[in-house]
Amino acid sequence: MQRNSNKLKIAIDDGSAGVIAARSRSTPRLANNRLLWVRDYAQSKANGKVDSAVTAAALDMIGIDTLGLDKQDRGYLDTLMRVFLGGPAGLEAIAHTMNVSSDTLEDEVEPFLLRTEMIVRTRRGRMATHKAFEHMKVKRPDASA
């Protein structure tokens, strides 16, 4: 982050670099894109000064949460938890409910959610994990109901 900020002639502190890195899914391309967004946000809202608070506000504005989940990731989890009560649910059913291509979900959304242990794939379908319910601040449905 520091090297790329130097190339872009943006002064960022270690805290800001850490916030961007933490919300970038360990993906350099995403980190660079988010750095550019933070730069633009800081120029328009903070007189070009980048600090941890400005960085967090910039990423919050575009819907990137502390784990790096974006709007589409949270929509997937919300659909799985609210509509399908945490699963199991088939990929096609989730995709149709969200009005999104199943290929998009399988190729772009699910890999990160699987890696971060927010969902699991079972033979019966996708299921939200306890970690996902906690992160989304959703009460887990009663298993006996």
Side-chain angles (χ1 to χ4, degrees):
M1 292 307 325
Q2 291 290 2
R3 185 178 69 221
N4 286 337
S5 69
N6 290 335
K7 287 180 183 178
L8 293 171
K9 296 181 173 124
I10 310 165
I12 65 169
D13 59 7
D14 290 339
S16 299
V19 170
I20 294 170
R23 294 187 186 199
S24 296
R25 304 176 175 210
S26 300
T27 305
R29 177 182 48 81
L30 288 178
N32 289 334
N33 289 341
R34 292 178 180 160
L35 176 62
L36 289 170
W37 172 256
V38 168
R39 178 199 62 185
D40 294 346
Y41 180 89
Q43 287 174 346
S44 68
K45 304 275 186 181
N47 295 323
K49 182 174 173 11
V50 178
D51 61 21
S52 297
V54 168
T55 301
L59 295 174
D60 288 343
M61 183 178 184
I62 58 171
I64 308 298
D65 71 14
T66 57
L67 291 181
L69 300 181
D70 60 20
K71 183 179 178 182
Q72 192 166 32
D73 300 323
R74 285 190 305 279
Y76 179 101
L77 290 174
D78 180 61
T79 300
L80 184 57
M81 290 179 207
R82 185 177 44 80
V83 177
F84 299 102
L85 304 177
L91 179 62
E92 292 290 329
I94 297 168
H96 287 302
T97 303
M98 292 178 66
N99 199 26
V100 175
S101 164
S102 59
D103 290 340
T104 299
L105 294 181
E106 192 169 30
D107 296 340
E108 297 177 17
V109 177
E110 286 189 340
F112 183 68
L113 295 177
L114 288 163
R115 207 168 50 241
T116 56
E117 300 173 351
M118 296 288 212
I119 63 168
V120 292
R121 286 183 186 163
T122 67
R123 282 189 236 170
R124 294 177 51 211
R126 275 68 170 164
M127 294 184 67
T129 64
H130 180 70
K131 185 176 178 181
F133 279 96
E134 282 184 353
H135 181 72
M136 296 290 288
K137 296 178 176 77
V138 174
K139 185 178 179 205
R140 191 175 191 101
D142 187 5
S144 64

